[in-house]
Amino acid sequence: MKRKEYTHENFEKEFLKTPQMRKAYEEGVMSLLIAHKIADLRERYHMTQAELAKKLHTKQQVVSRMEGDRYKPSLTTLEKIAHVFGKRLEINFI
């Protein structure tokens, strides 16, 4: 049996048919984007997870979770992260 090859377009057609699947996908993507942005900022500023944790008054393990795919930081946490890096937090509804 030949295995079906999935492109992004095929994936959307096959797996995002139901509203529940679409919602789960969108939430997962958002979590990954936030995690990636936190890790990217930290790395651009040549900071370890432990150093960022100290500035956020938390533990390194918490920063590690923030950079993972299942952590959903609060607005307050995102504001603290922005402050550490001298950035402004911006939220858009699109």
Side-chain angles (χ1 to χ4, degrees), residues 18 26 29 34 42-43 78 88 92:
T18 68
E26 289 171 0
V29 167
I34 291 170
R42 181 181 58 74
E43 290 170 2
L78 292 174
R88 182 173 52 94
N92 293 308

Side-chain angles (χ1 to χ4, degrees), residues 25-82:
Y25 175 76
E26 289 171 0
E27 287 175 357
V29 167
M30 187 55 59
S31 292
L32 283 172
L33 286 173
I34 291 170
H36 178 76
K37 287 190 178 286
I38 292 169
D40 184 55
L41 265 175
R42 181 181 58 74
E43 290 170 2
R44 269 195 280 149
Y45 282 78
H46 306 287
M47 194 179 292
T48 65
Q49 288 181 343
E51 290 167 333
L52 178 56
K54 187 173 182 178
K55 291 179 182 280
L56 294 172
H57 306 288
T58 191
K59 296 178 180 180
Q60 178 272 327
Q61 292 88 342
V62 173
V63 173
S64 177
R65 275 185 275 157
M66 284 181 198
E67 294 179 3
D69 64 346
R70 290 199 161 93
Y71 185 84
K72 291 186 180 182
S74 68
L75 184 57
T76 301
T77 299
L78 292 174
E79 289 171 332
K80 287 178 184 178
I81 292 167

